[in-house]
Amino acid sequence: MTKRAGILVAVGAAVAGLVTAVPSAATTDTGTGAPGAAQPGPRAAPLKWTGCATKTYPTLQCATVRSPLDHARPTGRQVTLALSRIPHTAATSQGPLLVNPGGPGGSGLSMAGFVASTLPAKLAAQYDVIGFDPRGVGKSRPALNCLPTHFDPVRPDSVPRSFQDEQTLRERAANFAAACGEKHGDLLPYMDTVSAAKDLDVIREALDARQINYFGYSYGTYLGAVYAKLFPERVRRLVLDSVVDPEGVWYDDNLSQDYAFDARHKAFLAWVSKHDTTYGLGQDPAEVESAWYAMRESLRTRPAGGKVGASELEDTFMPGGYYDGYWPHLAEAFAEYVNDKDEDALVSAYRNFGATGAGGGNSYSVYTAVQCRDSGWPRDWNTWRNDTSTVHAKAPFMAWNNAWYNAPCASWPVAPLNPVRVTNHKLPPALLFQATDDAATPYQGGLTMHRKLKGSSLVVEQGGGNHGITLSGNACLDAYLVDYLAKGTVPRGDGGRVDAVCEALAEPKPLPAEKALRSSDGAGGGSEGKALHGMLGFRG
């Protein structure tokens, strides 16, 4: 699941049009303890689509739809959901394809244009590709923003060295949780994945569609699986890319991430050592790792440019765990700081990769609101301390950073729900994609979801470490995606856990120093990967 709001692509035009829509009753027992089952309500009025074209997506349209804040009270208070669309142009339509980039907290408005323009034109023409901002996110209203200054630099070092350090960090997390309760206490009981999934059915009804097709990345895979559990008969096709482990929602999933991100960071450091002639940081991965942690220690006591301390450094290099196209840029900043004492290069990298963007406060607020509400988190801080210390001893790259990112859940002002049991025997065949070395949603998640969705097929990118692997340059993976969206065809293996395997793309190559440091788009690699991973963002 993506977390920190990084370089997110936003739709530049305001959404327009307002309709009232409520879902039909949900009849599936999910065992969630979610706030109220949906009740029947008045039928939605047609959506009013207006042009919101961008230079990149000239046919993009926008609309809004209203959905009950509490789905158990369909005529009560409403929230407004922002939608985007690339309409079908073929004579025959395969219906709406709802797309989601993950989070929770990620804006999905630009996803419609991206998916429609990246799929083969003949196939994209058969779908109304629908992007949306989930409740609380982006252009949807109301939008959450609990404490906009929470990630302002320089933050305390994420790794506590004393009881006082730990108390300071705990107070920061508790203050964020309290700010959310004070500012958005009326919304927090309804910020959860089940409510967001019921919003999808409001969108379906407003689109006047009997069924939807759904394509989600990262947290979007869990949202899609929950929707499928609630409304299996309304799912036509279901694509899940970089799959959340539904058995770890959410505390255990975050602990699993810590190990996986540490392994991915080591892969980056090994890549730097492989290109020692370019970066001059050592030919031994252990030597490069030592240099990175020495840099971290130096920044802990003297932040670069007064902006990049130890915690900000972790934020800056974390995106390298999501997408190896960023490696040349991060390696160049690393080398410039260590070899030439160039703080400006590191500050620039932080701005491109680690700093929260304009929507960062909103994304993090929704992230915490949904994750803290979706499932139970330890309320005894000793559990957090012991678990994180154990992980940190083996995988130090982001264990404490991740703990503090989620620590508001230890004192969240709203009681948690029970996680959704997504096991499903009522769906048409779903198609899952998973990279073996994905850090944000580790490999086990794909295997678990595959097992729980009867009749699903799992396509694995062997040796791949990127998070979000379709529509990012791997022709083998995309061929399976295209076949499925075109004809509903899924690969079938020989009875093993995996149905098809694709080889990972080649690792990136170093860039000339001036190009790596001059780059302002924060991405390397091919154009598809650059576009996708800019949209998925980091941590939200």
Side-chain angles (χ1 to χ4, degrees), residues 188-473:
L188 296 186
Y190 310 103
M191 292 299 301
D192 60 275
T193 300
V194 169
S195 294
K198 291 176 181 178
D199 289 342
L200 296 187
D201 210 55
V202 170
I203 296 172
R204 176 200 61 79
E205 187 172 353
L207 294 168
D208 196 25
R210 185 177 65 86
Q211 293 180 308
I212 64 168
N213 308 280
Y214 180 88
F215 180 7
Y217 291 92
S218 192
Y219 164 78
T221 65
Y222 184 64
L223 176 60
V226 171
Y227 179 83
K229 181 68 175 182
L230 289 169
F231 308 104
E233 73 284 357
R234 297 173 189 172
V235 176
R236 181 174 179 267
R237 288 180 188 154
L238 180 67
V239 181
L240 309 180
D241 183 328
S242 303
V243 184
V244 165
D245 188 338
E247 292 185 346
V249 173
W250 290 109
Y251 183 75
D252 288 344
D253 276 349
N254 276 280
L255 292 176
S256 297
Q257 275 189 336
D258 296 344
Y259 291 105
F261 267 103
D262 192 81
R264 199 68 189 135
H265 185 59
K266 285 182 169 64
F268 161 70
L269 298 173
W271 179 86
V272 172
S273 72
K274 188 187 303 183
H275 297 287
D276 181 57
T277 55
T278 299
Y279 301 116
L281 291 166
Q283 298 181 17
D284 181 355
E287 182 181 357
V288 178
E289 183 173 17
S290 178
W292 194 90
Y293 280 100
M295 174 174 64
R296 186 191 187 286
E297 178 62 19
S298 174
L299 294 169
R300 184 180 71 84
T301 56
R302 187 179 180 278
K307 295 286 186 182
V308 184
S311 292
E312 288 75 25
L313 183 75
E314 292 167 340
D315 296 347
T316 302
F317 281 78
M318 198 178 299
Y322 286 93
Y323 177 49
D324 62 15
Y326 300 132
W327 288 3
H329 305 279
L330 297 172
E332 194 62 45
F334 179 14
E336 291 285 333
Y337 180 83
V338 171
N339 296 330
D340 300 325
K341 310 304 179 187
D342 184 351
E343 294 188 0
D344 290 342
L346 205 56
V347 171
S348 178
Y350 166 68
R351 287 173 178 161
N352 275 336
F353 299 103
T356 56
N362 169 242
S363 295
Y364 180 61
S365 297
V366 175
Y367 171 90
T368 49
V370 173
Q371 293 225 337
C372 298
R373 177 67 166 149
D374 264 359
S375 64
W377 292 73
R379 303 295 282 195
D380 182 351
W381 184 253
N382 289 325
T383 301
W384 292 73
R385 179 192 297 114
N386 293 338
D387 288 345
T388 306
S389 297
T390 298
V391 175
H392 180 80
K394 299 178 180 178
F397 171 58
M398 67 166 277
W400 278 107
N401 187 300
N402 205 21
W404 299 120
Y405 197 82
N406 292 281
C409 295
S411 57
W412 199 245
V414 178
L417 305 171
N418 296 316
V420 178
R421 300 189 296 267
V422 300
T423 300
N424 204 322
H425 298 113
K426 299 179 181 180
L427 290 176
L431 184 59
L432 282 56
F433 293 92
Q434 186 68 42
T436 56
D437 299 334
D438 184 349
T441 52
Y443 183 60
Q444 182 60 42
L447 297 177
T448 302
M449 190 72 81
H450 180 33
R451 187 178 71 248
K452 289 181 176 293
L453 302 184
K454 184 178 181 181
S456 64
S457 288
L458 176 62
V459 180
V460 167
E461 187 181 48
Q462 185 64 43
N466 290 338
H467 179 65
I469 56 176
T470 57
L471 302 185
S472 58

Side-chain angles (χ1 to χ4, degrees), residues 165-178:
D165 287 350
E166 187 176 304
Q167 285 298 108
T168 298
L169 289 159
R170 286 184 65 185
E171 287 174 8
R172 286 189 77 253
N175 288 342
F176 184 87

Side-chain angles (χ1 to χ4, degrees), residues 62-102:
C62 292
T64 58
V65 64
R66 301 193 74 188
S67 184
L69 174 65
D70 180 354
H71 283 277
R73 297 177 176 82
T75 59
R77 181 181 175 185
Q78 306 284 295
V79 296
T80 302
L81 307 174
L83 311 179
S84 63
R85 177 178 76 165
I86 300 291
H88 78 277
T89 55
T92 302
S93 170
Q94 295 208 47
L97 174 63
L98 275 65
V99 295
N100 181 271

